[in-house]
mmCIF file of all heavy atoms in Angstrom:
data_model
loop_
_atom_site.group_PDB
_atom_site.id
_atom_site.type_symbol
_atom_site.label_atom_id
_atom_site.label_comp_id
_atom_site.label_asym_id
_atom_site.label_seq_id
_atom_site.Cartn_x
_atom_site.Cartn_y
_atom_site.Cartn_z
ATOM 1 N N THR O 4 94.679 110.388 107.953
ATOM 2 C CA THR O 4 95.199 111.574 107.338
ATOM 3 C C THR O 4 95.188 112.729 108.269
ATOM 4 O O THR O 4 94.457 112.720 109.292
ATOM 5 C CB THR O 4 94.268 111.970 106.054
ATOM 6 O OG1 THR O 4 92.925 112.117 106.593
ATOM 7 C CG2 THR O 4 94.363 110.878 105.014
ATOM 8 N N GLY O 5 95.979 113.737 107.978
ATOM 9 C CA GLY O 5 96.137 114.944 108.855
ATOM 10 C C GLY O 5 95.153 116.011 108.437
ATOM 11 O O GLY O 5 94.361 115.889 107.511
ATOM 12 N N SER O 6 95.280 117.143 109.142
ATOM 13 C CA SER O 6 94.429 118.295 108.810
ATOM 14 C C SER O 6 94.835 118.991 107.525
ATOM 15 O O SER O 6 94.033 119.580 106.859
ATOM 16 C CB SER O 6 94.523 119.313 109.977
ATOM 17 O OG SER O 6 95.875 119.732 110.210
ATOM 18 N N SER O 7 96.117 118.858 107.179
ATOM 19 C CA SER O 7 96.574 119.426 105.855
ATOM 20 C C SER O 7 96.819 118.306 104.898
ATOM 21 O O SER O 7 97.326 117.184 105.259
ATOM 22 C CB SER O 7 97.909 120.188 106.095
ATOM 23 O OG SER O 7 98.473 120.585 104.862
ATOM 24 N N PRO O 8 96.508 118.501 103.595
ATOM 25 C CA PRO O 8 96.690 117.411 102.578
ATOM 26 C C PRO O 8 98.104 116.895 102.547
ATOM 27 O O PRO O 8 98.276 115.732 102.163
ATOM 28 C CB PRO O 8 96.281 118.106 101.276
ATOM 29 C CG PRO O 8 95.345 119.158 101.693
ATOM 30 C CD PRO O 8 95.870 119.692 102.971
ATOM 31 N N THR O 9 99.109 117.664 102.863
ATOM 32 C CA THR O 9 100.486 117.236 102.783
ATOM 33 C C THR O 9 100.983 116.663 104.083
ATOM 34 O O THR O 9 102.152 116.201 104.123
ATOM 35 C CB THR O 9 101.408 118.419 102.371
ATOM 36 O OG1 THR O 9 101.288 119.492 103.229
ATOM 37 C CG2 THR O 9 101.087 118.887 100.933
ATOM 38 N N ASP O 10 100.178 116.637 105.126
ATOM 39 C CA ASP O 10 100.617 115.958 106.364
ATOM 40 C C ASP O 10 100.870 114.501 106.143
ATOM 41 O O ASP O 10 100.168 113.799 105.407
ATOM 42 C CB ASP O 10 99.479 116.077 107.462
ATOM 43 C CG ASP O 10 99.356 117.468 108.005
ATOM 44 O OD1 ASP O 10 100.264 118.298 107.715
ATOM 45 O OD2 ASP O 10 98.417 117.752 108.698
ATOM 46 N N HIS O 11 101.937 114.026 106.787
ATOM 47 C CA HIS O 11 102.340 112.647 106.637
ATOM 48 C C HIS O 11 101.272 111.739 107.209
ATOM 49 O O HIS O 11 100.925 111.891 108.376
ATOM 50 C CB HIS O 11 103.723 112.369 107.251
ATOM 51 C CG HIS O 11 104.290 111.064 106.895
ATOM 52 N ND1 HIS O 11 105.046 110.893 105.722
ATOM 53 C CD2 HIS O 11 104.259 109.848 107.466
ATOM 54 C CE1 HIS O 11 105.423 109.622 105.655
ATOM 55 N NE2 HIS O 11 104.956 109.026 106.705
ATOM 56 N N PRO O 12 100.685 110.787 106.501
ATOM 57 C CA PRO O 12 99.645 109.955 107.031
ATOM 58 C C PRO O 12 100.193 109.034 108.199
ATOM 59 O O PRO O 12 101.360 108.603 108.124
ATOM 60 C CB PRO O 12 99.153 109.122 105.850
ATOM 61 C CG PRO O 12 99.604 109.839 104.617
ATOM 62 C CD PRO O 12 100.933 110.523 105.099
ATOM 63 N N GLY O 13 99.364 108.733 109.157
ATOM 64 C CA GLY O 13 99.758 107.834 110.217
ATOM 65 C C GLY O 13 99.343 106.474 109.879
ATOM 66 O O GLY O 13 98.215 106.180 109.563
ATOM 67 N N TYR O 14 100.294 105.528 109.976
ATOM 68 C CA TYR O 14 100.035 104.184 109.586
ATOM 69 C C TYR O 14 99.311 103.464 110.727
ATOM 70 O O TYR O 14 99.794 103.489 111.877
ATOM 71 C CB TYR O 14 101.406 103.441 109.238
ATOM 72 C CG TYR O 14 101.178 101.969 108.881
ATOM 73 C CD1 TYR O 14 100.372 101.666 107.827
ATOM 74 C CD2 TYR O 14 101.807 100.974 109.562
ATOM 75 C CE1 TYR O 14 100.138 100.282 107.423
ATOM 76 C CE2 TYR O 14 101.657 99.661 109.226
ATOM 77 C CZ TYR O 14 100.824 99.350 108.190
ATOM 78 O OH TYR O 14 100.676 98.029 107.784
ATOM 79 N N VAL O 15 98.211 102.849 110.408
ATOM 80 C CA VAL O 15 97.358 102.129 111.423
ATOM 81 C C VAL O 15 97.734 100.636 111.373
ATOM 82 O O VAL O 15 97.972 99.967 112.398
ATOM 83 C CB VAL O 15 95.920 102.314 111.229
ATOM 84 C CG1 VAL O 15 95.071 101.523 112.147
ATOM 85 C CG2 VAL O 15 95.619 103.856 111.361
ATOM 86 N N GLY O 16 97.740 100.064 110.168
ATOM 87 C CA GLY O 16 97.907 98.665 109.967
ATOM 88 C C GLY O 16 97.450 98.202 108.651
ATOM 89 O O GLY O 16 97.014 98.972 107.782
ATOM 90 N N SER O 17 97.444 96.864 108.416
ATOM 91 C CA SER O 17 96.976 96.320 107.163
ATOM 92 C C SER O 17 96.018 95.183 107.421
ATOM 93 O O SER O 17 95.972 94.647 108.539
ATOM 94 C CB SER O 17 98.144 95.836 106.338
ATOM 95 O OG SER O 17 98.812 94.774 107.048
ATOM 96 N N PHE O 18 95.169 94.873 106.400
ATOM 97 C CA PHE O 18 94.304 93.711 106.541
ATOM 98 C C PHE O 18 94.327 92.993 105.250
ATOM 99 O O PHE O 18 94.605 93.481 104.209
ATOM 100 C CB PHE O 18 92.866 94.162 106.941
ATOM 101 C CG PHE O 18 92.256 95.135 105.951
ATOM 102 C CD1 PHE O 18 91.451 94.719 104.955
ATOM 103 C CD2 PHE O 18 92.353 96.512 106.163
ATOM 104 C CE1 PHE O 18 90.779 95.622 104.055
ATOM 105 C CE2 PHE O 18 91.712 97.402 105.338
ATOM 106 C CZ PHE O 18 90.948 96.984 104.281
ATOM 107 N N GLY O 19 94.068 91.680 105.401
ATOM 108 C CA GLY O 19 94.227 90.708 104.197
ATOM 109 C C GLY O 19 95.594 90.136 104.177
ATOM 110 O O GLY O 19 96.491 90.537 104.818
ATOM 111 N N ASP O 20 95.676 89.054 103.387
ATOM 112 C CA ASP O 20 96.908 88.334 103.236
ATOM 113 C C ASP O 20 96.788 87.498 101.976
ATOM 114 O O ASP O 20 95.678 87.318 101.447
ATOM 115 C CB ASP O 20 97.128 87.397 104.414
ATOM 116 C CG ASP O 20 98.618 86.914 104.490
ATOM 117 O OD1 ASP O 20 99.386 87.321 103.593
ATOM 118 O OD2 ASP O 20 98.929 86.143 105.415
ATOM 119 N N GLU O 21 97.821 86.944 101.456
ATOM 120 C CA GLU O 21 97.748 86.184 100.195
ATOM 121 C C GLU O 21 97.088 84.858 100.419
ATOM 122 O O GLU O 21 97.315 84.160 101.412
ATOM 123 C CB GLU O 21 99.179 85.949 99.611
ATOM 124 C CG GLU O 21 99.139 85.214 98.294
ATOM 125 C CD GLU O 21 100.518 85.070 97.711
ATOM 126 O OE1 GLU O 21 101.535 85.396 98.440
ATOM 127 O OE2 GLU O 21 100.664 84.603 96.525
ATOM 128 N N GLY O 22 96.116 84.576 99.545
ATOM 129 C CA GLY O 22 95.444 83.318 99.637
ATOM 130 C C GLY O 22 94.097 83.304 98.928
ATOM 131 O O GLY O 22 93.738 84.322 98.285
ATOM 132 N N HIS O 23 93.346 82.243 99.115
ATOM 133 C CA HIS O 23 92.037 82.092 98.404
ATOM 134 C C HIS O 23 90.864 82.008 99.371
ATOM 135 O O HIS O 23 89.747 82.065 98.946
ATOM 136 C CB HIS O 23 92.065 80.824 97.517
ATOM 137 C CG HIS O 23 93.247 80.810 96.619
ATOM 138 N ND1 HIS O 23 93.322 81.628 95.476
ATOM 139 C CD2 HIS O 23 94.354 80.093 96.562
ATOM 140 C CE1 HIS O 23 94.438 81.402 94.778
ATOM 141 N NE2 HIS O 23 95.056 80.489 95.473
ATOM 142 N N ASP O 24 91.141 81.901 100.668
ATOM 143 C CA ASP O 24 90.064 81.801 101.663
ATOM 144 C C ASP O 24 89.408 83.136 101.854
ATOM 145 O O ASP O 24 89.886 84.197 101.413
ATOM 146 C CB ASP O 24 90.616 81.278 102.985
ATOM 147 C CG ASP O 24 91.201 79.898 102.880
ATOM 148 O OD1 ASP O 24 90.756 79.089 101.963
ATOM 149 O OD2 ASP O 24 92.085 79.537 103.656
ATOM 150 N N ASP O 25 88.278 83.152 102.614
ATOM 151 C CA ASP O 25 87.635 84.392 103.004
ATOM 152 C C ASP O 25 88.609 85.303 103.708
ATOM 153 O O ASP O 25 89.340 84.859 104.571
ATOM 154 C CB ASP O 25 86.404 84.162 103.847
ATOM 155 C CG ASP O 25 85.262 83.481 103.099
ATOM 156 O OD1 ASP O 25 85.340 83.506 101.872
ATOM 157 O OD2 ASP O 25 84.416 82.949 103.791
ATOM 158 N N GLY O 26 88.604 86.596 103.373
ATOM 159 C CA GLY O 26 89.492 87.498 104.069
ATOM 160 C C GLY O 26 90.925 87.552 103.482
ATOM 161 O O GLY O 26 91.800 88.196 104.082
ATOM 162 N N LYS O 27 91.134 86.815 102.383
ATOM 163 C CA LYS O 27 92.481 86.869 101.748
ATOM 164 C C LYS O 27 92.351 87.291 100.377
ATOM 165 O O LYS O 27 91.261 87.276 99.770
ATOM 166 C CB LYS O 27 93.108 85.436 101.879
ATOM 167 C CG LYS O 27 93.421 84.995 103.274
ATOM 168 C CD LYS O 27 94.239 83.759 103.392
ATOM 169 C CE LYS O 27 94.616 83.421 104.813
ATOM 170 N NZ LYS O 27 95.491 82.209 104.902
ATOM 171 N N PHE O 28 93.499 87.758 99.822
ATOM 172 C CA PHE O 28 93.528 88.339 98.416
ATOM 173 C C PHE O 28 94.546 87.604 97.558
ATOM 174 O O PHE O 28 95.567 87.123 98.125
ATOM 175 C CB PHE O 28 93.845 89.816 98.459
ATOM 176 C CG PHE O 28 92.942 90.646 99.325
ATOM 177 C CD1 PHE O 28 93.459 91.339 100.448
ATOM 178 C CD2 PHE O 28 91.603 90.743 99.034
ATOM 179 C CE1 PHE O 28 92.574 92.098 101.246
ATOM 180 C CE2 PHE O 28 90.788 91.613 99.847
ATOM 181 C CZ PHE O 28 91.274 92.207 100.877
ATOM 182 N N THR O 29 94.328 87.649 96.255
ATOM 183 C CA THR O 29 95.372 87.263 95.321
ATOM 184 C C THR O 29 95.407 88.373 94.237
ATOM 185 O O THR O 29 94.535 88.495 93.448
ATOM 186 C CB THR O 29 95.082 85.947 94.683
ATOM 187 O OG1 THR O 29 94.917 84.932 95.718
ATOM 188 C CG2 THR O 29 96.162 85.514 93.757
ATOM 189 N N PHE O 30 96.382 89.229 94.303
ATOM 190 C CA PHE O 30 96.611 90.400 93.457
ATOM 191 C C PHE O 30 95.322 91.294 93.385
ATOM 192 O O PHE O 30 94.746 91.420 92.339
ATOM 193 C CB PHE O 30 96.982 89.942 92.031
ATOM 194 C CG PHE O 30 98.338 89.266 92.004
ATOM 195 C CD1 PHE O 30 98.451 87.867 91.865
ATOM 196 C CD2 PHE O 30 99.501 90.046 92.122
ATOM 197 C CE1 PHE O 30 99.692 87.273 91.823
ATOM 198 C CE2 PHE O 30 100.767 89.431 92.071
ATOM 199 C CZ PHE O 30 100.880 88.075 91.959
ATOM 200 N N PRO O 31 94.983 91.866 94.495
ATOM 201 C CA PRO O 31 93.833 92.790 94.509
ATOM 202 C C PRO O 31 94.208 94.017 93.786
ATOM 203 O O PRO O 31 95.391 94.345 93.544
ATOM 204 C CB PRO O 31 93.664 93.088 95.997
ATOM 205 C CG PRO O 31 95.007 92.867 96.653
ATOM 206 C CD PRO O 31 95.632 91.721 95.855
ATOM 207 N N ASN O 32 93.181 94.789 93.312
ATOM 208 C CA ASN O 32 93.457 95.918 92.450
ATOM 209 C C ASN O 32 92.693 97.172 92.929
ATOM 210 O O ASN O 32 93.242 98.033 93.534
ATOM 211 C CB ASN O 32 93.156 95.603 91.008
ATOM 212 C CG ASN O 32 93.910 96.561 90.070
ATOM 213 O OD1 ASN O 32 95.107 96.353 89.766
ATOM 214 N ND2 ASN O 32 93.246 97.525 89.543
ATOM 215 N N GLY O 33 91.391 97.257 92.611
ATOM 216 C CA GLY O 33 90.648 98.491 92.936
ATOM 217 C C GLY O 33 90.046 98.453 94.350
ATOM 218 O O GLY O 33 89.936 97.397 94.941
ATOM 219 N N LEU O 34 89.579 99.582 94.784
ATOM 220 C CA LEU O 34 89.040 99.698 96.119
ATOM 221 C C LEU O 34 88.046 100.870 96.157
ATOM 222 O O LEU O 34 88.242 101.895 95.545
ATOM 223 C CB LEU O 34 90.157 99.873 97.131
ATOM 224 C CG LEU O 34 89.799 100.064 98.639
ATOM 225 C CD1 LEU O 34 90.788 99.345 99.523
ATOM 226 C CD2 LEU O 34 89.745 101.545 98.948
ATOM 227 N N ALA O 35 87.017 100.768 96.961
ATOM 228 C CA ALA O 35 86.036 101.798 97.144
ATOM 229 C C ALA O 35 85.454 101.708 98.565
ATOM 230 O O ALA O 35 85.456 100.637 99.190
ATOM 231 C CB ALA O 35 84.930 101.778 96.137
ATOM 232 N N THR O 36 84.945 102.810 99.060
ATOM 233 C CA THR O 36 84.258 102.833 100.388
ATOM 234 C C THR O 36 82.941 103.493 100.268
ATOM 235 O O THR O 36 82.640 104.250 99.293
ATOM 236 C CB THR O 36 85.113 103.643 101.368
ATOM 237 O OG1 THR O 36 85.272 104.992 100.977
ATOM 238 C CG2 THR O 36 86.520 103.018 101.589
ATOM 239 N N ASP O 37 82.074 103.229 101.269
ATOM 240 C CA ASP O 37 80.732 103.901 101.291
ATOM 241 C C ASP O 37 80.590 104.596 102.608
ATOM 242 O O ASP O 37 81.526 104.587 103.491
ATOM 243 C CB ASP O 37 79.598 103.024 101.002
ATOM 244 C CG ASP O 37 79.399 101.890 102.000
ATOM 245 O OD1 ASP O 37 80.002 102.041 103.129
ATOM 246 O OD2 ASP O 37 78.705 100.933 101.743
ATOM 247 N N THR O 38 79.518 105.240 102.848
ATOM 248 C CA THR O 38 79.212 105.978 104.095
ATOM 249 C C THR O 38 78.752 105.059 105.204
ATOM 250 O O THR O 38 78.500 105.568 106.321
ATOM 251 C CB THR O 38 78.208 107.061 103.856
ATOM 252 O OG1 THR O 38 76.976 106.534 103.374
ATOM 253 C CG2 THR O 38 78.742 108.105 102.835
#
C-alpha cells in the first residue's frame, strides 16, 4: 500500500494454487494476519 489510502497498490505476487495438498486451496474465503 502507498502513503495515501487512495494510492494504487503495488502488486507483489500471489501464493497458493488450486488443490488439496499443503499450500494449496479449494475456494478459500476469509483471511486474517497477526503481528
